[in-house]
Amino acid sequence: MSLLDTLFRNGHLRTLDHALAQSLRRLDASTPDAMLAAAALASLAVAKGHAGLSLREPQALLDAEAPIDWPSADAWCACLAASRWVATPDDADAAADPHAPLVLEGGLLYLRRYREYERALAWGLQRIAVQPVPEAGIEPLAPLFATLFPQAMHDDRQARAAALALRHALLLVTGGPGTGKTTTTARLLVLLVAQALHAGHAPPRIALAAPTGRAAERMAESVRHAGQALATDGIDADLLAALPATGTTLHRLLGTIADSPRFRHDRDNPLPYEVVVVDEASMIDLPLMAKLVDAVAGGTRLVLLGDPDQLPSVEAGDVLAAILGAAGEGDAIAHDDADALQPLLGDTGALAQARHDEGTRFPGVRVHLQRGWRQSEALDLAPLAAAVREGDADAALSQLRAGTLSNVHFHEDLIDPLDTHREALLAHFRALGQAATPADALAQSTRLRLLTAVREGPQGARTLNARIERLLAESGGPVRAAQGHFHGQLLIVTENSYRHRLFNGDIGVCLRDAAGTLVAWFPGEDPVNPRAFHPAALPAHESAFAMTVHKAQGSEFDTVWLLLPARGNRVLSRELVYTGITRARHALHVAGSDAVIREALDRHAGRWSGLGWRLDRLQ
């Protein structure tokens, strides 16, 4: 049996992957089977979140160990390089042959479109990073800077990030939950406003964006709160007035076009902002990041915020990790930056040691924030998160079992929280249908969430949602409408709909209006005025009482139940557990076994990508 047939008949390929291979066979019956199998696997690789297929470890794509007789990597590469269907560009900067659907480069086999996304993104980031920013004196900003960052002379990383934003067009601010990324951003923006005013310019137009509506709303809320705090510290009201009051999704920022993957804003019609700040950068996939960078105008600053320890994007690429790899650890500061920023940062020993020679790293600068956590003081999550992040299963399990972490609860070997904690969970879900307004219901929906590692199976999100719906109905809950929706149902959109301006991951709730009509409500630009849709008209969606950890990225909940599968699964990783536990604000419940937790913390959620080496070669 051929390799392609073996993969397809054993359920390793999707119908779409197999169809790509079959289309190449129909166009040229002499196409070798190794070529057809590689094409199908390249398609599957994108579906699994990779930018391309690594020919040296194809087994990693399969959901289970399988006795596949793989070609040797060298022989496979030679076969592909000789194929009419595969472009092998000599120049990494050049576009691939548009007549070839696949590209072999850097040890990866790409679908051509994804290779072009990588190439465009690498050049776009380089373009932004090296462009000059408006020159303005640093010294006049020193009094304001001292008020914003009173600890700056002690090598404060938040202060360093804000200072570097005055001199660089591409800034990466990374850190765990609550390390102050958005608070730093608010102060950074005040400085940029002051810099423009001192230079005699109008305040910069500023956009706040994130991959999901909830994440954008959270960032805008943080900036608003930071602005209010700065007002009490005596910061000039004119500076604070220039801060944006709202955030938006990246899709809305770029301008969706109905029934098209293109956006209104691109290289020829760039975004009309002088500063673009993007939160939750780890969630941004390769195509979307490429389109965002393409739409950033010359002279515009791009600030990317993110947590490098979270899961990579659901779709193709691990963009943030690749960018951070090229940008370095974020502890160094260039000689000319240190000299220019000395009036703000001083010249402490730590700062002097951090200097490095010019030209040794990607021109964009990175600062990694380390102190503080988003969670309330009542939730002692930092030690557990650190152990998970480092893959230290012994330390993580010891902390969970000791029960000494405030509001962290370990339910070892618990398989079914809907059995042992049914009433507490159902009480929350029933309360959604009792909210006074749709806005109240959406706000209440963030109080508790069941998060799972997997979508299918006994501990999967789909099974849990079906059980919750049944339990609500059995306990006298709402009657399901003919279309399958019901009053109080929590929904999550599962595909992008540019026509509706609803996107994968958006959360809504179904409520009956005064006339008894069931309406699906989703957040809009104004938090107090949600948008209304007829449930039957929504794009693909499902219930969201339980969600996968991937779907929960960019969100946070007062109480989180993280339910791990009863048996090991290849989707498990330390990034998944870290992302799941750090969604909690006030209380965390972890249900899982010793073996499954150890398996998860032993595995990295890596992605195949060529973006890192593309950025390295541009330095």
Side-chain angles (χ1 to χ4, degrees):
M1 188 184 300
S2 71
L3 176 58
L4 178 64
D5 289 343
T6 298
L7 291 169
F8 187 59
R9 292 183 183 181
N10 286 283
H12 299 304
L13 298 177
R14 302 172 302 159
T15 301
L16 180 64
D17 309 324
H18 190 249
L20 171 61
Q22 293 292 73
S23 67
L24 298 181
R25 173 179 281 160
R26 284 194 298 271
L27 291 169
D28 185 349
S30 66
T31 302
D33 175 69
M35 170 67 243
L36 298 175
L41 289 168
S43 173
L44 178 63
V46 169
K48 297 275 189 176
H50 303 283
L53 166 68
S54 172
L55 298 173
R56 298 196 177 278
E57 44 185 332
Q59 183 76 38
L61 274 186
L62 309 188
D63 290 329
E65 294 298 328
I68 304 293
D69 184 16
W70 298 106
S72 72
D74 291 340
W76 213 353
C77 282
C79 173
L80 296 175
S83 173
R84 61 180 290 195
W85 305 123
V86 180
T88 55
D90 295 327
D91 185 353
D93 302 332
D97 181 356
H99 298 101
L102 299 155
V103 180
L104 182 62
E105 185 179 33
L108 296 180
L109 180 67
Y110 295 89
L111 300 181
R112 179 170 51 83
R113 180 174 46 165
Y114 286 85
R115 186 267 185 179
E116 294 306 303
Y117 281 139
E118 271 196 0
R119 184 178 69 91
L121 177 55
W123 272 106
L125 289 168
Q126 176 79 0
R127 170 183 64 84
I128 296 170
V130 301
Q131 68 188 6
V133 297
E135 291 292 335
I138 296 295
E139 290 192 23
L141 300 176
L144 172 63
F145 193 88
T147 302
L148 294 170
F149 299 100
Q151 300 300 315
M153 294 300 180
H154 301 286
D155 196 31
D156 181 75
R157 288 171 182 258
Q158 295 186 6
R160 188 189 302 180
L164 288 168
L166 297 171
R167 290 181 48 81
H168 292 272
L170 178 59
L171 176 67
L172 313 171
V173 181
T174 60
T179 49
K181 296 187 292 295
T182 51
T183 301
T184 301
T185 297
R187 288 168 166 75
L188 175 160
L189 295 176
V190 169
L191 277 176
L192 293 180
V193 172
Q195 184 184 41
L197 295 178
H198 276 293
H201 303 310
R205 293 168 293 179
I206 302 167
L208 301 179
T212 67
R214 179 58 186 151
E217 180 184 333
R218 272 190 22 241
M219 176 169 60
E221 183 180 20
S222 296
V223 170
R224 289 195 299 269
H225 288 168
Q228 293 165 2
L230 292 174
T232 64
D233 291 339
I235 301 299
D236 191 300
D238 290 338
L239 298 179
L240 298 177
L243 298 183
T246 61
T248 185
T249 65
L250 286 172
H251 288 85
R252 292 184 188 124
L253 176 73
L254 293 172
T256 56
I257 300 174
D259 302 318
S260 171
R262 299 176 61 86
F263 293 103
R264 287 191 296 107
H265 292 292
D266 56 18
R267 186 180 318 172
D268 298 323
N269 180 33
L271 293 165
Y273 300 99
E274 284 74 48
V275 182
V276 175
V277 182
V278 180
D279 198 8
E280 299 288 354
S282 65
M283 296 176 62
I284 306 175
D285 60 53
L286 174 60
L288 185 57
M289 185 69 87
K291 292 171 184 178
L292 168 65
V293 166
D294 185 55
V296 172
T300 292
R301 286 177 168 91
L302 176 62
V303 181
L304 299 176
L305 314 176
D307 184 346
D309 297 307
Q310 284 192 36
L311 281 166
S313 64
V314 176
E315 305 298 334
D318 191 356
V319 174
L320 181 63
I323 297 173
L324 296 181
E329 291 300 319
D331 291 326
I333 187 169
H335 280 293
D336 62 343
D337 282 334
D339 293 339
L341 297 175
Q342 196 275 338
L344 306 184
L345 296 173
D347 198 8
T348 65
L351 185 58
Q353 293 172 8
R355 297 177 184 225
H356 68 91
D357 293 331
E358 288 288 356
T360 59
R361 69 160 58 175
F362 178 61
V365 292
R366 173 196 181 186
V367 177
H368 185 64
L369 308 181
Q370 296 177 317
R371 294 184 301 181
W373 284 81
R374 170 183 67 218
Q375 286 72 27
S376 67
E377 293 182 2
L379 177 60
D380 186 15
L381 190 58
L384 176 61
V388 170
R389 186 175 60 242
E390 294 162 8
D392 189 342
D394 288 336
L397 286 162
S398 176
Q399 292 169 16
L400 287 169
R401 287 170 175 149
T404 56
L405 301 178
S406 178
N407 277 337
V408 175
H409 311 279
F410 186 35
H411 308 273
E412 189 164 5
D413 296 323
L414 176 63
I415 294 176
D416 188 2
L418 289 176
D419 181 26
T420 56
H421 296 75
R422 177 181 305 177
E423 287 309 312
L425 296 171
L426 291 184
H428 166 76
F429 300 138
R430 290 192 197 99
L432 296 177
Q434 300 164 359
T437 67
D440 289 342
L442 288 171
Q444 289 183 29
S445 72
T446 66
R447 292 181 182 172
L448 182 145
R449 198 62 53 89
L450 287 175
L451 301 184
T452 72
V454 294
R455 174 175 167 79
E456 308 293 344
Q459 290 83 37
R462 175 174 285 183
T463 301
L464 289 171
N465 278 313
R467 292 186 60 208
I468 290 168
E469 292 174 8
R470 186 173 66 252
L471 290 170
L472 287 173
E474 291 173 353
S475 62
V479 177
R480 187 182 294 273
Q483 297 89 353
H485 302 94
F486 57 89
H487 181 78
Q489 183 183 14
L490 201 58
L491 301 176
I492 182 170
V493 174
T494 58
E495 69 176 13
N496 294 333
S497 173
Y498 302 109
R499 180 166 59 90
H500 294 85
R501 291 187 301 119
L502 289 172
F503 303 100
N504 193 353
D506 283 356
I507 298 290
V509 62
C510 285
L511 297 173
R512 293 196 180 278
D513 61 17
T517 302
L518 197 63
V519 177
W521 299 90
F522 284 83
E525 297 293 341
D526 182 356
V528 300
N529 290 306
R531 296 180 295 148
F533 299 88
H534 190 289
L538 291 173
H541 60 279
E542 57 193 29
S543 289
F545 301 108
M547 297 166 56
T548 63
V549 173
H550 271 102
K551 292 291 187 183
Q553 280 186 273
S555 298
E556 57 182 13
F557 311 98
D558 290 349
T559 298
V560 163
W561 272 84
L562 177 60
L563 179 60
L564 299 175
R567 288 184 291 275
N569 189 294
R570 295 184 67 159
V571 75
L572 292 171
S573 68
R574 67 184 65 170
E575 289 84 1
L576 183 142
V577 175
Y578 174 87
T579 302
I581 66 175
T582 56
R583 299 310 90 202
R585 284 186 291 221
H586 303 307
L588 170 68
H589 296 260
V590 178
S593 69
D594 179 292
V596 167
I597 290 173
R598 289 185 183 279
E599 177 182 338
L601 300 196
D602 192 46
R603 183 183 292 129
H604 271 298
R607 296 283 178 82
W608 297 326
S609 168
L611 182 59
W613 71 260
R614 292 183 198 279
L615 291 171
D616 285 339
R617 65 175 299 279
L618 290 174
Q619 295 182 34

